[in-house]
C-alpha cells in the first residue's frame, strides 16, 4: 500500500511543494512545529533512512542544504534543524525546521495548519530558492 507521501507525490492527495526533481520532493508539512517546516522526501518509498542508497542519501542532504539556506533568508532564524524521525509515516522523510531555541524543535508543539498559510509559506520559500 502506498504511503501518504507517495500519494502526494503522485498527485492523488494535495501537497504544497517547494522542490521537485527526479529523486525527491520537498513539501510543507500539514502539522508544522514552526512556520516554514518542510519535509524532504525521496520519491522511492524507503521506510528506514539507513536503507537509502549512498547516492540518494547524499542527494537528500544536498537538497536539504539548499532549502535550509532559503529558510534562513525567509525566516531569519539562528539555525535550521534537520531531523529524521520516521515513526509517523513509514516513508523516509527529513524534517527541516527554522529554529531559534531548543524548544523550537518540540514535536509536541506541532499544530494543523490551514491550506492558505501553507500556500503562503511555500511561496516565500520558492521565491527565496529562485533568488539564490
Amino acid at each position: 500500500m502506498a504511503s501518504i507521501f507517495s500519494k502526494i507525490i503522485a498527485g492523488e492527495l494535495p501537497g504544497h511543494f517547494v522542490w521537485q526533481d527526479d529523486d525527491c520532493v520537498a513539501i510543507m508539512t500539514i502539522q508544522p512545529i514552526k512556520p516554514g517546516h518542510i519535509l524532504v522526501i525521496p520519491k522511492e518509498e524507503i521506510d528506514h533512512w539507513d536503507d537509502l542508497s549512498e547516492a540518494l542519501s547524499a542527494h537528500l542532504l544536498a537538497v536539504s542544504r539548499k532549502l535550509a539556506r532559503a529558510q534562513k533568508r525567509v525566516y531569519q532564524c539562528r539555525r535550521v534543524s534537520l531531523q529524521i524521525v520516521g515513526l509517523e509515516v513509514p516513508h523516509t522523510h527529513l524534517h527541516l525546521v527554522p529554529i531559534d531555541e531548543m524548544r523550537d524543535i518540540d514535536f509536541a508543539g506541532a499544530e494543523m495548519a490551514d491550506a492558505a498559510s501553507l500556500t503562503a509559506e511555500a511561496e516565500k520559500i520558492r521565491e527565496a530558492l529562485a533568488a539564490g
Side-chain angles (χ1 to χ4, degrees):
M1 184 169 159
S3 77
I4 191 166
F5 295 147
S6 292
K7 291 178 181 181
I8 292 168
I9 292 165
E12 297 170 20
L13 293 173
H16 295 85
F17 290 80
V18 296
W19 180 274
Q20 193 160 192
D21 65 29
D22 290 341
D23 298 313
C24 71
V25 301
I27 61 173
M28 307 305 297
T29 181
I30 61 169
Q31 288 186 290
I33 297 173
K34 299 273 290 176
H37 183 166
I38 298 171
L39 303 177
V40 179
I41 308 163
K43 288 185 175 178
E44 184 179 354
E45 210 171 291
I46 300 170
D47 186 4
H48 297 266
W49 70 268
D50 53 332
D51 289 333
L52 296 169
S53 70
E54 292 292 325
L56 184 53
S57 181
H59 181 69
L60 294 176
L61 194 57
V63 169
S64 295
R65 185 175 45 246
K66 289 178 188 178
L67 291 164
R69 289 177 177 160
Q71 287 171 303
K72 286 179 184 177
R73 286 192 299 275
V74 171
Y75 300 102
Q76 300 295 303
C77 54
R78 288 180 54 202
R79 300 267 192 255
V80 173
S81 171
L82 186 153
Q83 298 175 48
I84 304 172
V85 183
L87 295 174
E88 64 282 14
V89 178
H91 186 152
T92 297
H93 54 288
L94 289 67
H95 292 263
L96 298 177
V97 184
I99 63 170
D100 293 305
E101 303 174 5
M102 287 299 292
R103 67 180 175 194
D104 291 342
I105 56 172
D106 183 358
F107 281 86
E111 296 183 4
M112 289 298 290
D114 61 77
S117 66
L118 293 175
T119 297
E121 298 305 322
E123 183 58 31
K124 290 177 197 175
I125 295 167
R126 284 192 300 269
E127 286 175 5
L129 282 168

